[in-house]
Amino acid sequence: MAIVTAEASDGAWALTVNSFVSISLTPRLVMWSLDHGSDRYAGFAGAPAWGVSILRDDQVELSSRFAAHRAQPAEEHEIERIASSPDGAPVLKACLARFDCRTRARHHVGDHLLLAGEVVAFEAHPGDALTYFRGRYG
């Protein structure tokens, strides 16, 4: 599972996604999708930069919190910016891996917006990833 974060005027917003994929190695590009009906659509759809935090297997509560409708911005103590990034997109402090991305393309496909981003910074830590399959975490 992954949580995407973006900076907004009222803080760093976060959204749990299950559609995070790698699409290119050169340049390093990743992609995720956002439902047009999301209550956080405005904050993410126009963001020039965003972060992706890959969750550890013990972070079910965090995944559920940011998957909920009408979620609140991430708490200041939960986020930080990867120092090597010129855009400084917010990411979660505690996670398995973190990507700092600059938006490269937006495509409307069906009822979703596909957001492609160039990875400008990356960090990884040891551990097992949180998965979600058929309505269950693993």
Side-chain angles (χ1 to χ4, degrees):
M1 295 299 300
I3 293 180
V4 178
T5 47
E7 193 67 44
S9 60
D10 58 349
W13 281 84
L15 176 68
T16 301
V17 300
N18 61 3
S19 58
F20 177 68
V21 296
S22 170
I23 55 175
S24 173
L25 294 176
T26 307
R28 296 176 297 183
L29 299 174
V30 295
M31 183 176 66
W32 64 284
S33 67
L34 176 64
D35 188 318
H36 288 156
S38 171
D39 60 328
R40 288 159 271 188
Y41 185 88
F44 285 102
W50 33 270
V52 178
S53 303
I54 306 299
L55 298 180
R56 295 186 321 254
D57 62 352
D58 63 348
Q59 294 181 302
V60 171
E61 182 180 332
L62 198 58
S63 175
S64 296
R65 175 178 159 205
F66 292 120
H69 293 289
R70 305 283 181 229
Q72 297 300 309
E75 299 292 327
E76 189 62 34
H77 68 87
E78 294 174 318
I79 61 165
E80 65 184 342
R81 278 128 187 97
I82 297 176
S84 62
S85 167
D87 293 317
V91 290
L92 297 178
K93 285 183 178 179
C95 60
L96 190 61
R98 306 180 313 173
F99 298 83
D100 188 4
C101 303
R102 183 180 307 119
T103 302
R104 288 279 303 262
R106 294 174 181 90
H107 299 284
H108 295 274
V109 179
D111 60 359
H112 278 68
L113 173 65
L114 302 180
L115 292 132
E118 180 177 1
V119 177
V120 296
F122 171 78
E123 290 181 13
H125 306 281
D128 294 322
L130 180 64
T131 60
Y132 187 80
F133 181 69
R134 294 187 178 172
R136 301 178 112 166
Y137 286 103

